[in-house]
Amino acid sequence: MAFGHQREDSRLILLREISQEGRIPRIDLAERTGISRATVTTITADLLRDGLIEEIPREDGAAGTRGRPRVDLKIAGAAHLVAGVKVSGSRISLVLMDFEGSQMAEHEVPLGAGRHSPEALAGYIGDAVAALAAKIGTKTAQISGVGVGLAGTIDAGAGAVHWSPSLNARNVDFAAMLTERMGVPTYLDNDANLVAMAEKTFGLGRGRSDFIVVTIEAGVGMGIILGGEIYRGTRGCGAEFGHTKVQLEGALCRCGQRGCLEAYVAEYALLREADTALGPDTSLSGQIARLLGAAEAGDPTAASIVSRAGRMFAMGLANIVNIFDPELIILAGEQMQFDYLYAEEVIAEMRKSIVQVDAAPPEVVIHKWGNLMWARGAAAYALEFVQERAAREGRVDAA
Ligand SMILES: [Zn+2]
């Protein structure tokens, strides 16, 4: 039994190593993983037979002993398909990846604003995944895992949503509901965690072990990578940066509490202020643009709203730095309208409020990308589970 477990572990370690490297000679695997050469030979033979990896001729074309071409190992892309889904306030964005992590298809569907019943949202996601699969002429049933990112407080381990701005109910076993609706194992996480996952796997966090991602869209989110892993907290409520308090008895937040960072910097907060200062506008994005335009043109009320949002954001960032001392902070968002939060003054204000030592302050980088990157993070998350399952399933008779 113990031997069986060890074998599964080694299969997973080798799969992950090959996946990370893209293509790697068999001999390097032993060196990198500390697994003996003999075991690497046995296990890679198993993985080849299971169709999870394949041999490809070495790029330099070098010949080995007895004139056979030398080969590298790579993941067999065709072994599995995974889908990544990001639910935002106005749309569902999806990507389909193969087992190697290559993107096979992308899809986007509009989503009605506001909160949805869990059944309705599960239905929309299920339909969108089916449409995604159809893009490469396949069906949902051929997908091995689906990762879904939602805003809100998510217990990733339990697949439960404590609260989400997309759902009209609390404490929903949403992963189970999606798994049943689609007939494919579905994995749920907070969307900001999935952005951190995407940054770690494909983005600016590659090769970094301790960094923080702050996401700015409708709300403010945060993903924490510590020692190369996502830090989630014990109730799945970690990293609620948007609901850290920046003002005693301050503005009312949509979470029901007062003085949260989001109540000053999120889109809805700015809209509320803009309506008061400039009068209502029928278009939401138009109203934000009007507010930013008025601030730039020197309107004192508009300027003070925008500048206060920037200072509140700087205070929030400084608190993060003072707690975590990360090597890197990635400000990730897609909308240009949040540029005022990325401004040099805001970063400078943050640097003034952090503990001062004779060492460089953390690097702050801005990474603008669209919903598909969030969806890619969701797919990368699902891929980890599919790899685990593939490592476990294999051929039991061989153990
Ligand atoms: Zn709040």
Side-chain angles (χ1 to χ4, degrees):
M1 195 65 196
F3 180 70
H5 275 291
Q6 260 177 29
R7 187 183 191 87
E8 282 172 15
D9 289 349
S10 305
R11 277 171 64 100
L12 183 59
I13 291 166
L14 293 179
L15 260 185
R16 292 238 159 109
E17 191 65 32
I18 297 167
S19 169
Q20 214 168 350
E21 292 306 312
R23 45 194 303 161
I24 184 169
R26 208 181 247 102
I27 197 160
D28 291 2
L29 278 172
E31 229 165 80
R32 283 172 186 266
T33 60
I35 296 172
S36 76
R37 278 193 195 188
T39 307
V40 166
T41 303
T42 316
I43 290 181
T44 52
D46 281 2
L47 294 173
L48 280 164
R49 192 191 49 210
D50 292 343
L52 297 172
I53 60 172
E54 50 195 39
E55 289 180 324
I56 44 166
R58 187 80 61 83
E59 267 164 349
D60 60 14
T65 47
R66 290 186 296 263
R68 282 191 309 182
R70 282 183 195 264
V71 293
D72 286 342
L73 295 173
K74 71 184 264 299
I75 296 291
H80 290 280
L81 283 173
V82 296
V85 181
K86 149 80 174 166
V87 178
S88 73
S90 58
R91 65 203 140 160
I92 302 176
S93 311
L94 307 97
V95 297
L96 190 63
M97 280 184 185
D98 70 5
F99 198 43
E100 268 190 287
S102 301
Q103 192 168 312
M104 308 297 287
E106 56 182 66
H107 188 51
E108 224 166 24
V109 289
L111 179 66
R115 295 168 187 263
H116 305 272
S117 74
E119 294 76 14
L121 188 61
Y124 301 145
I125 293 173
D127 292 346
V129 169
L132 175 74
K135 286 201 158 181
I136 61 158
T138 188
K139 290 190 158 36
T140 302
Q142 298 304 312
I143 298 174
S144 304
V146 179
V148 176
L150 275 182
T153 313
I154 315 285
D155 183 337
V161 180
H162 290 302
W163 173 87
S164 167
S166 300
L167 289 177
N168 66 7
R170 282 179 173 258
N171 303 315
V172 180
D173 284 328
F174 200 49
M177 194 179 275
L178 287 165
T179 299
E180 200 185 303
R181 168 71 172 68
M182 294 189 280
V184 175
T186 302
Y187 311 98
L188 203 63
D189 204 348
N190 170 273
D191 55 358
N193 283 345
L194 295 179
V195 175
M197 187 79 190
E199 291 289 6
K200 173 172 131 27
T201 317
F202 323 103
L204 302 174
R206 250 188 133 151
R208 310 273 197 140
S209 63
D210 300 284
F211 67 93
I212 281 170
V213 177
V214 173
T215 61
I216 309 161
E217 40 155 32
V220 179
M222 178 164 83
I224 305 170
I225 301 283
L226 289 180
E229 301 282 337
I230 295 179
Y231 177 77
R232 291 195 171 83
T234 53
R235 296 179 301 152
C237 301
E240 284 296 339
F241 181 43
H243 303 283
T244 55
K245 306 298 181 275
V246 290
Q247 179 81 54
L248 191 64
E249 291 159 3
L252 186 63
C253 178
R254 59 179 176 170
C255 75
Q257 298 184 0
R258 288 191 171 275
C260 297
L261 177 63
E262 252 189 44
Y264 293 94
V265 307
E267 203 172 42
Y268 75 87
L270 287 182
L271 282 173
R272 185 172 60 193
E273 303 272 349
D275 284 352
T276 314
L278 308 170
D281 191 297
T282 45
S283 140
L284 298 187
S285 54
Q287 179 73 319
I288 295 273
R290 243 177 101 201
L291 176 74
L292 297 176
E296 235 166 73
D299 179 286
T301 315
S304 91
I305 294 168
V306 173
S307 131
R308 184 175 66 172
R311 281 179 291 133
M312 291 292 188
F313 189 61
M315 192 193 308
L317 283 184
N319 289 340
I320 293 179
V321 173
N322 286 341
I323 294 169
F324 291 102
D325 190 22
E327 57 176 323
L328 172 70
I329 296 180
I330 302 171
L331 303 180
E334 65 165 327
Q335 281 123 323
M336 298 298 282
Q337 69 200 43
F338 296 112
D339 274 2
Y340 68 95
L341 290 180
Y342 303 144
E344 196 42 51
E345 304 93 89
V346 173
I347 310 300
E349 178 88 18
M350 177 275 273
R351 292 210 171 100
K352 277 195 282 184
S353 307
I354 64 175
V355 173
Q356 305 291 320
V357 291
D358 291 332
E363 193 186 341
V364 179
V365 295
I366 294 156
H367 193 191
K368 284 183 188 158
W369 35 272
N371 273 338
L372 286 176
M373 188 75 176
W374 299 69
R376 286 181 73 192
Y381 181 56
L383 186 59
E384 289 204 339
F385 288 99
V386 173
Q387 283 173 342
E388 248 172 66
R389 237 168 47 220
R392 207 169 53 229
E393 281 163 2
R395 292 190 14 174
V396 272
D397 59 313

